[in-house]
Amino acid sequence: MNAGFPVLKARTVLLFAAVLMLAGLVPVLYFVALFVWQVSALFQAGSWVPLPAMLLFTDHSLLQAGKAAPVLPFIPEFPWATHKAIALVLDRLHVALVPALLGCAIAALGALSALRQVAVIRAQKQRTEDRLRRVRDYRLEGSPADAVDDRREPFIGAGGIPRNANQRVA
């Protein structure tokens, strides 16, 4: 009735896993872009432009005259007050590092899900091929009685089993 449903479901989940992987790569690429900008600024201006995570919680209008002015439009601004201990940690951390780590985790989750779905699709395809192979083999090996209704009943007999199969050979 709905024999193709498991394959369709697995392919749909595979598509969503691929989208999840791409969504996880976006923050990683954001981190790479900011880091490449910092390296290019190092070669152009001769000094490293720090981009601490504390930039997320500061007013960007106060920082427009600094070295980081060209990249500030690409850094989001959250007007929250932070505790001094948190501010100390955020001053040491790169602005895009936490989103990049979360993006890596999301991309890894998508990759694992995609690998799992590829295995499910491969197994379902193998089952279908085996089923079709068995049908073809049954039709080719059939007797004239089998040709009437295209069925082959299993036969359990003593043909392949020796009489002393339960005895061990020393």
Side-chain angles (χ1 to χ4, degrees):
M1 193 162 65
N2 56 1
F5 183 71
V7 175
L8 179 66
K9 179 182 171 188
R11 286 184 180 166
T12 305
V13 173
L14 179 64
L15 177 69
F16 284 124
V19 169
L20 189 64
M21 280 180 16
L22 290 176
L25 288 178
V26 169
V28 174
L29 293 176
Y30 175 68
F31 172 73
V32 169
L34 285 179
F35 188 74
V36 167
W37 178 84
Q38 282 181 304
V39 170
S40 69
L42 174 67
F43 288 125
Q44 290 176 357
S47 66
W48 181 259
V49 180
L51 293 175
M54 196 61 200
L55 285 175
L56 295 170
F57 304 105
T58 58
D59 188 13
H60 289 181
S61 63
L62 302 174
L63 303 171
Q64 292 299 327
K67 295 178 191 176
V71 80
L72 284 179
F74 300 107
I75 298 174
E77 181 180 354
F78 301 110
W80 299 330
T82 57
H83 192 269
K84 290 186 180 194
I86 296 173
L88 182 65
V89 172
L90 292 177
D91 277 337
R92 304 275 184 221
L93 196 63
H94 193 276
V95 70
L97 185 64
V98 173
L101 291 175
L102 289 174
C104 284
I106 290 171
L109 181 69
L112 288 175
S113 179
L115 289 175
R116 191 176 308 123
Q117 294 309 314
V118 165
V120 167
I121 290 170
R122 186 180 311 121
Q124 187 65 29
K125 185 177 178 182
Q126 184 66 37
R127 279 190 214 109
T128 303
E129 288 174 358
D130 287 346
R131 179 179 53 84
L132 294 176
R133 180 191 46 80
R134 285 191 305 268
V135 167
R136 186 177 59 245
D137 290 346
Y138 290 159
R139 286 186 180 164
L140 292 177
E141 294 176 2
S143 66
D146 293 337
V148 174
D149 59 356
D150 288 330
R151 292 189 318 177
R152 182 175 179 176
E153 299 298 325
F155 175 73
I156 301 175
I161 302 173
R163 292 183 182 201
N164 56 358
N166 59 354
Q167 296 176 356
R168 294 187 179 172
V169 178

